[in-house]
């Protein structure tokens, strides 16, 4: 299995990239999320945005808050997704299908999906950094025991 990194510098760069992603996620939350979600998740999103703004991205609970907000946005986007049916009865259409559906997003769902993309990237990168730190601690324990 090939590892996604080869040096400690790359791991540090991955951790550092979390800060840039956190700034982008904060902007996405403030600009595209807060005015489009229900009051209870809105308070959680505000708290997460404040945490990200402070740079407290590696604090305990940040991953859980990110995961929760991602779930909320996912549900909202799903609710704002509809299928637009297209018809083609022209003589040039020789296929068996005279209709097809194309998924569309409401403008609100589109805004949420923009923020969701950054939040997912932040979540994935933060998770990878946490996994690396846990692996390093486990290896230190194994080395100390040997």
């Amino acid at each position: 299995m090939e590892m996604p990194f080869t040096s400690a510098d790359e791991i540090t760069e991955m951790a550092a990239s979390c800060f840039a992603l956190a700034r982008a996620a904060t902007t996405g939350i403030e600009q595209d999320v807060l005015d489009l979600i229900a009051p209870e998740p809105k308070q959680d999103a505000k708290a997460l945005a404040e945490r990200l703004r402070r740079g407290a991205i590696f604090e305990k609970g940040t991953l859980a808050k990110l995961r929760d907000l991602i779930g909320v946005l996912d549900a909202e986007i799903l609710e704002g997704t509809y299928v637009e049916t297209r018809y083609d009865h022209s003589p040039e259409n020789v296929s068996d299908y005279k209709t097809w559906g194309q998924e569309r997003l409401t403008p609100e769902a589109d805004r949420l999906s923009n923020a969701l993309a950054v939040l997912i990237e932040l979540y994935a990168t933060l998770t990878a950094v946490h996994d690396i730190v846990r692996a390093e601690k486990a290896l230190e324990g194994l080395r100390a025991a040997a």
Side-chain angles (χ1 to χ4, degrees):
M1 179 174 155
E2 188 175 320
M3 296 304 289
F5 49 86
T6 57
S7 71
D9 289 338
E10 290 180 27
I11 297 166
T12 302
E13 289 172 10
M14 186 184 340
S17 72
C18 290
F19 289 99
L21 287 169
R23 284 191 300 275
T26 300
T27 301
I29 291 169
E30 292 172 348
Q31 298 296 314
D32 292 326
V33 173
L34 292 179
D35 60 334
L36 297 176
I37 59 176
E40 185 178 330
K42 178 188 271 190
Q43 294 307 313
D44 294 338
K46 281 182 183 179
L48 176 61
E50 181 54 36
R51 180 181 283 213
L52 297 177
R53 184 181 297 105
R54 285 192 330 257
I57 57 177
F58 296 110
E59 281 184 4
K60 187 174 182 162
T62 300
L63 281 174
K65 288 181 180 297
L66 271 169
R67 185 179 51 246
D68 291 346
L69 183 56
I70 287 169
V72 167
L73 297 185
D74 219 16
E76 290 288 331
I77 291 167
L78 185 60
E79 190 175 305
T81 303
Y82 61 96
V83 176
E84 187 175 84
T85 304
R86 303 281 182 146
Y87 298 93
D88 185 1
H89 297 294
S90 67
E92 292 86 13
N93 183 5
V94 294
S95 71
D96 291 336
Y97 303 102
K98 302 296 180 192
T99 65
W100 69 93
Q102 183 174 9
E103 279 193 356
R104 298 284 190 180
L105 298 176
T106 62
E108 294 81 9
D110 189 46
R111 284 176 56 197
L112 292 175
S113 68
N114 293 335
L116 179 63
V118 176
L119 291 169
I120 289 173
E121 187 173 354
L122 174 59
Y123 181 80
T125 307
L126 268 176
T127 301
V129 171
H130 280 278
D131 289 345
I132 292 166
V133 170
R134 274 190 288 248
E136 287 174 348
K137 285 181 182 178
L139 286 174
E140 286 173 8
L142 288 173
R143 288 181 183 126

